[in-house]
């Protein structure tokens, strides 16, 4: 797991780091003294311990900006003031820990976030000896390239994979993905609109083409996906 601690007080960062170390879990931990530095980071964290009362920009505003950038990390707020609870839940905070931080409450919050994190479906993408754990729900589309593929996610990251497109198609066939072309598999979660046989996807500049032979099957699958996931608003 990748974890960030963001607090302008060194003593609080040290305490959170100590509690994490005592869990004896495999993790990478980064520390930030400023909410602005956390926002500017290009690292997507699994869990963020975020102080609310910080100079320049408070934790609530930091979390709002993270959510606006589609960052869905588990945010655990740290604060001495309980009046922020309602604001914290507006930004989908996972937990709210009051200072001074009780170790038992800290452990319970971490274990809850860890449990949800482990239940999220992920895929391990291997390439040239490197391994990346990517949430399946973050993948926008997969493109065939030579003997492998490129995987594009919603954070504008591209992963080179040694898996061929047909292998991806087999592993994702029970989910919300569809092979629209001999070179592309797309996630129906990220379709903005369909213009004839052109798909406009979220965070993708150029439209993707649905081949003529795949269009009828794709249209039927997409309509079923829409019906299954429709909400009354």
């Amino acid at each position: 797991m990748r974890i960030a601690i963001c607090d302008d007080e060194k003593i609080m960062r040290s305490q959170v780091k100590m509690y994490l170390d005592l869990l004896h879990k495999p993790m990478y931990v980064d520390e930030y003294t400023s909410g602005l530095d956390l926002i500017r980071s290009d690292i997507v964290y699994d869990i963020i311990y975020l102080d609310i009362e910080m100079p320049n920009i408070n934790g609530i505003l930091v979390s709002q900006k993270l959510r606006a950038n589609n960052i869905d990390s588990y945010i655990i707020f740290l604060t001495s003031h309980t009046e922020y609870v309602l604001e914290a839940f507006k930004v989908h905070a996972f937990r709210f820990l009051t200072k001074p931080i009780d170790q038992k409450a800290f452990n319970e919050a971490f274990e809850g976030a860890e449990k949800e994190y482990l239940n999220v479906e992920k895929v391990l993408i291997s390439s040239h000896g490197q391994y990346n754990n990517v949430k399946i729900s973050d993948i926008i589309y997969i493109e065939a390239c030579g003997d492998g593929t490129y995987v594009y996610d919603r954070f504008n990251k591209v992963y080179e994979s040694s898996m061929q497109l047909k292998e991806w198609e087999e592993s994702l066939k029970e989910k919300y993905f569809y092979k629209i072309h001999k070179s592309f598999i797309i996630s129906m979660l990220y379709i903005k609109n369909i213009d004839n046989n052109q798909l406009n996807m979220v965070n993708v500049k150029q439209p993707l083409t649905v081949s003529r032979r795949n269009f009828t099957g794709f249209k039927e699958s997409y309509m079923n996906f829409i019906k299954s996931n429709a909400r009354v608003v």
Side-chain angles (χ1 to χ4, degrees), residues 51-110:
D51 182 27
I52 289 184
E53 301 92 9
M54 291 187 292
N56 299 320
I57 180 169
N58 67 43
I60 298 295
L61 290 176
V62 171
S63 60
Q64 288 174 350
K65 291 183 180 296
L66 292 175
R67 295 303 191 219
N69 290 330
N70 294 319
I71 303 298
D72 60 355
S73 311
Y74 297 101
I75 295 176
I76 299 176
F77 278 119
L78 313 173
T79 185
S80 304
H81 303 283
T82 56
E83 63 265 25
Y84 288 108
V85 171
L86 290 178
E87 293 298 319
F89 285 110
K90 288 180 183 178
V91 292
H92 308 291
F94 183 76
R95 286 287 191 279
F96 193 96
L97 295 176
T98 55
K99 299 179 181 180
I101 302 171
D102 176 75
Q103 188 175 1
K104 182 180 178 181
F106 180 93
N107 291 348
E108 288 175 350
F110 177 87

Side-chain angles (χ1 to χ4, degrees), residues 81-228:
H81 303 283
T82 56
E83 63 265 25
Y84 288 108
V85 171
L86 290 178
E87 293 298 319
F89 285 110
K90 288 180 183 178
V91 292
H92 308 291
F94 183 76
R95 286 287 191 279
F96 193 96
L97 295 176
T98 55
K99 299 179 181 180
I101 302 171
D102 176 75
Q103 188 175 1
K104 182 180 178 181
F106 180 93
N107 291 348
E108 288 175 350
F110 177 87
E111 288 166 6
E114 181 187 43
K115 183 178 180 180
E116 289 203 15
Y117 168 80
L118 293 175
N119 285 334
V120 173
E121 288 188 278
K122 305 180 188 71
V123 61
L124 189 65
I125 300 176
S126 62
S127 175
H128 306 300
Q130 292 187 340
Y131 297 88
N132 295 282
N133 225 351
V134 179
K135 293 180 184 178
I136 291 176
S137 60
D138 287 342
I139 296 173
I140 297 178
Y141 72 101
I142 304 165
E143 179 184 12
C145 181
D147 294 330
T149 46
Y150 288 122
V151 180
Y152 299 80
D153 76 5
R154 68 191 182 97
F155 303 109
N156 295 317
K157 290 187 176 180
V158 183
Y159 303 92
E160 186 178 350
S161 171
S162 57
M163 283 178 63
Q164 296 182 353
L165 202 68
K166 62 182 179 181
E167 295 177 275
W168 281 107
E169 184 180 18
E170 180 63 25
S171 66
L172 298 173
K173 67 181 180 180
E174 302 297 329
K175 308 189 189 312
Y176 34 79
F177 289 83
Y178 199 90
K179 186 178 180 182
I180 60 169
H181 186 277
K182 66 179 182 180
S183 298
F184 295 103
I185 293 174
I186 60 96
S187 169
M188 291 186 277
L189 289 171
Y190 295 98
I191 296 175
K192 287 197 294 188
N193 57 64
I194 303 172
D195 184 8
N196 294 317
N197 66 333
Q198 301 286 303
L199 302 184
N200 292 303
M201 309 289 292
V202 174
N203 287 353
V204 180
K205 293 181 179 180
Q206 298 296 324
L208 302 179
T209 302
V210 184
S211 68
R212 185 178 301 174
R213 64 180 296 182
N214 291 350
F215 188 77
T216 300
F218 162 74
K219 187 176 180 180
E220 181 180 349
S221 292
Y222 186 58
M223 291 307 296
N224 289 333
F225 169 78
I226 293 294
K227 290 175 183 177
S228 299

Side-chain angles (χ1 to χ4, degrees), residues 32 37-45 71 155 157:
Y32 295 87
D37 290 339
L38 177 61
I39 293 168
R40 292 168 183 151
S41 171
D42 60 356
I43 300 172
V44 178
Y45 292 98
I71 303 298
F155 303 109
K157 290 187 176 180

